[in-house]
Amino acid sequence: MTIHLIAVTLAAALVAYVLATVTAALIARTPFPLPPSQRRIGCLDGLRGYVALSVLIHHFIFWMQVTRFNGTWEAPAVNLFNQLGAGGVALFFMTTGFVFYPRVLAGFRACSWPAIYTTRLFRIVPLVAVSVAIITIIIAMRTGAGLDRGFPNAAAQWITTWDEPPLLRYPDSGRLNAYVLWSLWHEWLFYLIVLPASALAMDLIRGTLPSWVLPVGLLLTTVVARVLYLPGSMLRYLPLFAFGMIAYECQSREWIARALRTPRAASVAALALGVGMIAAPTPYTFVMPVFGFFFTCVACGNDMGGLLRTKGALILGECSYGIYLLHGILLSLLFVDASKVTGSIATDWLPILLPLAAVVIVLVTPVTYLLIERPAIRAGRHLSQRWTRRRLRTDAPELQVAP
């Protein structure tokens, strides 16, 4: 990428964030339901939408590379642009560790595991299934192909996030959603393995060691395992979940949280994050503590100069799961089906479409939240209550927060 293109992309990204926030603020004037203040988790609700938008910007750059440069789907050479995606997912994984750490603190026997898994299933899967249906329709319209014998198996792999094989024999079908389901697969590994194992470990150390020993121990163990090059992709992401748990320990100690809520802490965290995103291509290196520190500040209630408490930011947070899952479809339509329009724009000015994409996704996802996500959340809660005969709090994290 040329210096001019990098500069235009950065400017377009900034405009995209601003216009997305303004659009979301306008939506906030409608009856769209915002969570009450007591249900908010530090300032994480305000952060999640911007993280999802960062992933959109990241994949917009992928599409520029595919259509204007070498034609391959690969990480951008500019560290900052790659970190918008990789770093964004890292913050999502930290959010998961933070949100579910109370279940770890409660211990294995105190948790209603059927309720947790039922509500997680209804929170995550419905929108994935809808996205797969949309992608299938787009492929059918592009190729004229109908459903084949291999479709049920392929669709099941998509919906379970196991893999993204070709749908209707369409090559690179996963490109239609920017291959985002890989992160959901690792979320499921956390729910099914790491979460219950951590809760059981907390039962074992309760009364003998302080609770913070568990997430710190998990962090150190995974770091050592990575240094020793032990196999397993989950080892790459476990430190991120551990950082989320450590952030919960910090926010529960008022003297720490108070120090991390200050404007000075916000400035240090934002500056450190920016330097870290420029210095390394991914958050899985020496810059991981920088991401952890920034996340902890936000989790402790630092609103980064008030930005993360605006109604626009909260709307984006509520719609973050939809933005994350559906933005790839929008970009594919833009660069493939609308290629006559995008193809007429000079490469150095192609990023001017980025703010448009951000506004469109912010207009679409409140609808998918109200029609798909919210009813599914309620259905999951209702079914879980019937099965377990236990009433769930409406602010229970396994109900509301999605990756």
Side-chain angles (χ1 to χ4, degrees):
M1 298 179 71
T2 65
I3 298 297
H4 179 268
L5 182 56
I6 292 174
V8 172
T9 303
L10 288 173
L14 179 60
V15 174
Y17 286 124
V18 172
L19 290 184
T21 304
V22 171
T23 304
L26 294 176
I27 294 172
R29 297 183 179 182
T30 71
F32 186 91
L34 276 174
S37 58
Q38 64 269 22
R39 207 194 81 191
R40 294 174 191 154
I41 310 165
C43 287
L44 294 182
D45 286 342
L47 176 65
R48 288 185 293 134
Y50 292 114
V51 171
L53 285 173
S54 297
V55 178
L56 180 151
I57 296 168
H58 171 74
H59 287 134
F60 186 97
I61 295 167
F62 268 63
W63 273 108
M64 285 202 303
Q65 292 182 160
V66 168
T67 57
R68 298 303 174 94
F69 295 106
N70 56 17
T72 61
W73 189 272
E74 59 185 19
V78 178
N79 287 349
L80 176 61
F81 292 159
N82 196 52
Q83 286 280 24
L84 289 173
V89 172
L91 292 173
F92 275 135
F93 284 158
M94 290 182 189
T95 301
T96 297
F98 181 93
V99 166
F100 282 88
Y101 189 58
R103 300 295 174 259
V104 175
L105 291 174
F108 187 88
R109 288 166 293 186
C111 289
S112 174
W113 296 104
I116 290 174
Y117 293 131
T118 300
T119 52
R120 281 288 83 190
L121 188 71
F122 277 81
R123 183 64 186 95
I124 295 174
V125 171
L127 192 58
V128 174
V130 170
S131 72
V132 173
I134 294 172
I135 289 170
T136 302
I137 292 172
I138 292 173
I139 292 174
M141 292 179 66
R142 287 179 182 176
T143 64
L147 298 181
D148 52 37
R149 296 177 61 182
F151 176 77
N153 178 59
Q157 291 187 60
W158 280 61
I159 293 171
T160 59
T161 71
W162 176 271
D163 196 7
E164 296 186 47
L167 295 173
L168 309 185
R169 300 181 181 178
Y170 189 76
D172 296 321
S173 297
R175 195 171 291 181
L176 274 82
N177 71 355
Y179 300 100
V180 297
L181 298 186
W182 73 268
S183 64
L184 298 187
W185 172 248
H186 286 87
E187 290 272 347
W188 280 117
L189 291 179
F190 173 82
Y191 301 137
L192 296 172
I193 300 173
V194 179
L195 183 60
S198 298
L200 183 60
M202 186 63 73
D203 283 336
L204 296 176
I205 69 170
R206 197 183 311 278
T208 59
L209 294 172
S211 59
W212 59 263
V213 169
L214 193 148
V216 171
L218 178 62
L219 175 62
L220 295 177
T221 300
T222 52
V223 168
V224 170
R226 290 184 60 193
V227 170
L228 296 176
Y229 297 102
L230 297 182
S233 63
M234 193 62 181
L235 290 176
R236 183 179 180 89
Y237 311 112
L238 270 179
L240 302 170
F241 295 113
F243 266 115
M245 297 178 185
I246 293 170
Y248 189 95
E249 290 279 355
C250 290
Q251 68 87 36
S252 65
R253 291 162 171 78
E254 181 56 28
W255 65 275
I256 298 178
R258 190 186 311 116
L260 296 182
R261 282 196 296 265
T262 63
R264 179 176 297 180
S267 299
V268 173
L271 178 61
L273 181 67
V275 172
M277 293 178 71
I278 294 172
T282 74
Y284 315 117
T285 60
F286 64 94
V287 300
M288 188 180 292
V290 169
F291 282 83
F293 176 69
F294 174 83
F295 178 86
T296 302
C297 289
V298 175
C300 287
N302 198 314
D303 57 15
M304 297 294 146
L307 173 64
L308 301 183
R309 292 193 189 275
T310 64
K311 287 189 175 181
L314 294 175
I315 289 287
L316 292 174
E318 288 295 283
C319 299
S320 60
Y321 184 47
I323 295 173
Y324 183 73
L325 266 186
L326 302 178
H327 77 271
I329 297 174
L330 172 63
L331 294 179
S332 181
L333 291 172
L334 181 65
F335 281 93
V336 177
D337 300 275
S339 59
K340 290 185 178 179
V341 175
T342 56
S344 65
I345 301 174
T347 300
D348 280 355
W349 296 106
L350 191 58
I352 63 174
L353 295 175
L354 186 50
L356 174 64
V359 169
V360 171
I361 201 69
V362 173
L363 291 174
V364 169
T365 49
V367 178
T368 58
Y369 177 82
L370 293 174
L371 296 182
I372 301 167
E373 296 177 66
R374 198 175 185 218
I377 292 171
R378 291 175 172 174
R381 181 174 67 237
H382 178 70
L383 183 59
S384 179
Q385 288 173 345
R386 291 193 62 181
W387 281 0
T388 63
R389 299 183 182 276
R390 180 182 298 185
R391 183 173 178 80
L392 295 176
R393 302 190 333 268
T394 56
D395 62 343
E398 62 267 23
L399 293 177
Q400 303 294 341
V401 175

